[in-house]
Amino acid sequence: MLLLSAGCSAVKLGYRQGPVLAGWWLDGQLDLDAVQSARVRDELQRWFDWHARTQLPGYAQQLVRLRAESQGVAQPAQLCRWNETVRELVSTAVEPLLPAAAEVALTLTPAQIDHLDRKQSRRTAELREEMLLPDPSERRQAMTKRTVKRFEEFYGRLSGAQRRLIEEALAASPFDLEEWLQQRELRQRELIAELRRIVAEKPPAGQVQERLRRLVRRFDGRDPVGPPQQAAALSAYNCAWAARLHNSAAAEQRERLADKLRNWESD
C-alpha cells in the first residue's frame, strides 16, 4: 500500500524488486544469518512468482470495479466494504507464506528476537516523538496535514472547504492517538512473546503456522487489540466522513482519481 501511494513507477519498481527489498527489510529487523537470509530470499521469490501469477489479475479486476464506483455517489457502507475487501486480499496473500515463515521462525535465536524487540521499540519511540506532540493544537494540525496529504495523492489539491471538512472530522473523531500507540506496543509485545515461546518450545511446524496466523489477524485488524465494538465504531466514523469528502470532489478531482486507478490496473 505504501508503494501504491507513491505512484505507478514505484509500484512497478518496488514489485519487481520485492524479494530483494523484503529480504533486506527482514535482515534489518532480525539480523538473519547467511543460511536464514538465503532461505528467506528463496521463499520470497517463490511467493512473488505465485502472487504475480495468481493474485494480480484479481487485483486488476477489483480496480476496474473501484474505478467505476468512484465516479458515483459514495455511501459509507460502500467504503467500509472496500476496507473488508482489502483485508480479505491481504489475508489470501499472506496465507501461502505461513509454512515457510513457521520454518524460519523455528530457526531464530534469542539474540535475533532481542534485536527485533529493540528495532520495534525504537520505531515506536520515534512515532511517539513525531506524532504525539505535547501541544494538543499542534498535534491536531499535524494530523490534519498528514491526512490532507494522503487525500491529495489521489484527488490532487483539495479545496478550502474540503480541508475544513477533514479538520472538523478529525477534531470530532473517536480516534485516540495515545491509545493507538499503546495498542501498537501491545501488538509488538505479543509478537515478541510469541516468537520467544516458539524458540523455547520448538512446537510442530503446524502449530507455529497457527500461532503466526493469529498474529497476522492482530496486525491486519481482523482481531483488534482493543474492544471490537470500538474498532467498528471508528471504522464506521471514518467511512462516513471519507464518503462525504469523496462526494464533494470536483470533476477534475474524480478524473485524477480515475487516472490513478487506471494506471494501477495497467501496472
Side-chain angles (χ1 to χ4, degrees):
M1 295 305 295
L2 289 170
L3 286 169
L4 288 177
S5 67
C8 295
S9 60
V11 173
K12 289 184 283 192
L13 177 61
Y15 193 85
R16 288 169 181 162
Q17 299 300 319
V20 173
L21 295 174
W24 282 344
W25 184 82
L26 286 168
D27 273 342
Q29 294 292 306
L30 288 162
D31 193 23
L32 300 173
D33 63 31
V35 174
Q36 292 169 323
S37 184
R39 174 68 191 279
V40 163
R41 283 187 167 84
D42 286 346
E43 293 296 341
L44 286 169
Q45 185 62 64
R46 274 192 281 272
W47 181 84
F48 269 88
D49 290 343
W50 165 84
H51 189 264
R53 186 176 65 255
T54 67
Q55 302 302 296
L56 290 190
Y59 294 177
Q61 292 172 5
Q62 293 285 7
L63 286 165
V64 171
R65 182 177 140 227
L66 178 57
R67 180 157 51 87
E69 290 187 12
S70 72
Q71 298 308 296
V73 176
Q75 301 296 331
Q78 183 183 16
L79 268 63
C80 280
R81 282 196 299 273
W82 275 108
N83 285 341
E84 291 305 315
T85 296
V86 171
R87 283 200 181 97
E88 291 168 5
L89 293 173
V90 170
S91 175
T92 299
V94 167
E95 188 65 27
L97 279 171
L98 292 180
E103 292 182 16
V104 172
L106 286 165
T107 73
L108 294 176
T109 66
Q112 288 174 322
I113 298 173
D114 289 344
H115 186 273
L116 175 64
D117 192 11
R118 289 192 299 272
K119 291 282 287 189
Q120 294 205 335
S121 296
R122 193 177 304 124
R123 179 55 184 150
T124 299
E126 290 171 354
L127 285 174
R128 280 189 172 277
E129 185 176 351
E130 293 169 10
M131 301 175 70
L132 201 61
L133 302 176
D135 186 325
S137 176
E138 291 182 1
R139 192 185 309 169
R140 284 194 300 273
Q141 290 175 9
M143 185 177 293
T144 299
K145 184 178 179 180
R146 288 193 299 269
T147 305
V148 167
K149 182 178 178 182
R150 291 192 192 105
F151 275 99
E152 288 190 336
E153 288 169 352
F154 294 91
Y155 292 95
R157 183 165 180 79
L158 299 182
S159 68
Q162 289 170 326
R163 288 167 178 256
R164 286 192 297 275
L165 190 159
I166 290 175
E167 187 174 5
E168 292 167 3
L170 294 179
S173 173
F175 175 74
D176 185 306
L177 183 56
E178 173 62 42
E179 187 175 37
W180 176 80
L181 286 165
Q182 290 173 356
Q183 291 178 355
R184 175 190 173 91
E185 290 175 324
L186 180 56
R187 286 194 301 269
Q188 290 174 347
R189 288 198 297 271
E190 288 181 352
L191 170 63
I192 296 301
E194 189 62 80
L195 290 177
R196 292 196 197 284
R197 283 192 291 269
I198 289 170
V199 168
E201 299 169 6
K202 291 291 190 289
Q207 290 184 22
V208 179
Q209 287 182 47
E210 184 54 38
R211 294 183 187 189
L212 296 180
R213 189 176 288 111
R214 287 198 297 269
L215 287 171
V216 170
R217 293 181 63 87
R218 269 294 204 224
F219 277 84
D220 71 12
R222 286 176 294 161
D223 185 13
V225 173
Q229 62 271 24
Q230 183 184 53
L234 177 59
S235 177
Y237 180 84
N238 286 336
C239 291
W241 75 258
R244 286 174 55 207
L245 183 68
H246 175 77
N247 292 336
S248 74
E252 59 270 22
Q253 291 176 321
R254 288 176 183 260
E255 186 55 36
R256 179 187 171 97
L257 174 61
D259 285 343
K260 198 170 190 77
L261 296 173
R262 190 181 296 110
N263 288 334
W264 289 350
E265 176 197 340
S266 176
D267 287 345

